[in-house]
Amino acid sequence: MKKLLVVVDMQKDFIDGVLGTAEAVKIVEPAAAKIREAKEQGEDIIFTKDTHHKDYLMIQEGRKLPVPHCVKGTRGWELDDRIGELARGCRILEKPSFGSMELAALAQQENYEEIELIGLCTDICVISNAMLLKAALPEAVIKVDPFCCAGVTPESHKNALEAMRTCQIELS
């Protein structure tokens, strides 16, 4: 079975930076363990990075969430050190928005049979990418590991997991 692990936006700004949360800090070690396990099993791994530029406050997202974050070239844009170390040799996709059409297209092109997502934030980028992947590959098994994800709040994390379950995305 052709498998892919997608590591969504495990960047400093979402972990312990300007948009960080205690819940995000708590998932770093379990996420790193999941990545190591996938590497040991020879699975493909793709990392995404939320990527904005200095004009962030001028774009729609910046007007609705006026907190500059993940600005390319800043420390907050970088992957967490423990995660970044594991990203060496893996594909990294920069994405300007919540979901990555490029990720969905790559997954479709490679015809993955099983895709698991981990990372941040469950209720924004994880759910967006899970839904895009499910639409691109309706017969693939799409999974999200709730213990390797964190939302903006614990409540929004739970709500996002329930929405994904309703859309036939499995919780692993």
Side-chain angles (χ1 to χ4, degrees), residues 127 130-131 134 142 144 158-171:
I127 192 172
M131 296 294 199
K134 190 65 177 170
I142 309 295
V144 171
K158 285 184 204 171
N159 290 341
L161 293 172
E162 189 54 40
M164 288 186 276
R165 185 189 340 253
T166 301
C167 292
Q168 301 175 359
I169 293 166
E170 296 179 16
L171 303 183

Side-chain angles (χ1 to χ4, degrees), residues 83-139:
I83 302 297
E85 186 177 297
L86 295 167
R88 289 194 192 109
C90 295
R91 187 171 202 148
I92 299 174
L93 297 179
E94 295 178 12
K95 58 183 191 55
S97 184
F98 307 135
S100 173
M101 298 296 286
E102 182 181 4
L103 172 63
L106 281 169
Q108 193 174 44
Q109 180 182 335
E110 292 294 323
N111 201 28
Y112 287 104
E113 297 168 82
E114 184 177 302
I115 302 170
E116 184 172 26
L117 295 94
I118 62 173
L120 302 166
C121 294
T122 318
D123 46 337
I124 303 172
C125 295
V126 173
I127 192 172
S128 296
N129 284 291
M131 296 294 199
L132 285 171
L133 289 163
K134 190 65 177 170
L137 294 157
E139 292 302 313

Side-chain angles (χ1 to χ4, degrees), residues 79 141 145:
L79 294 170
V141 175
D145 185 338

Side-chain angles (χ1 to χ4, degrees), residues 23-60:
E23 292 80 17
V25 170
K26 289 178 189 170
I27 70 154
V28 174
E29 285 304 326
K34 172 94 50 177
I35 296 164
R36 281 191 290 276
E37 181 182 322
K39 281 189 161 204
E40 288 168 9
Q41 293 179 6
E43 293 178 24
D44 291 347
I45 305 171
I46 295 176
F47 291 77
T48 69
K49 289 177 79 173
D50 192 42
T51 301
H52 300 295
H53 301 280
K54 292 179 181 177
D55 68 346
Y56 173 75
L57 292 174
M58 306 303 283
I59 66 172
Q60 184 176 7

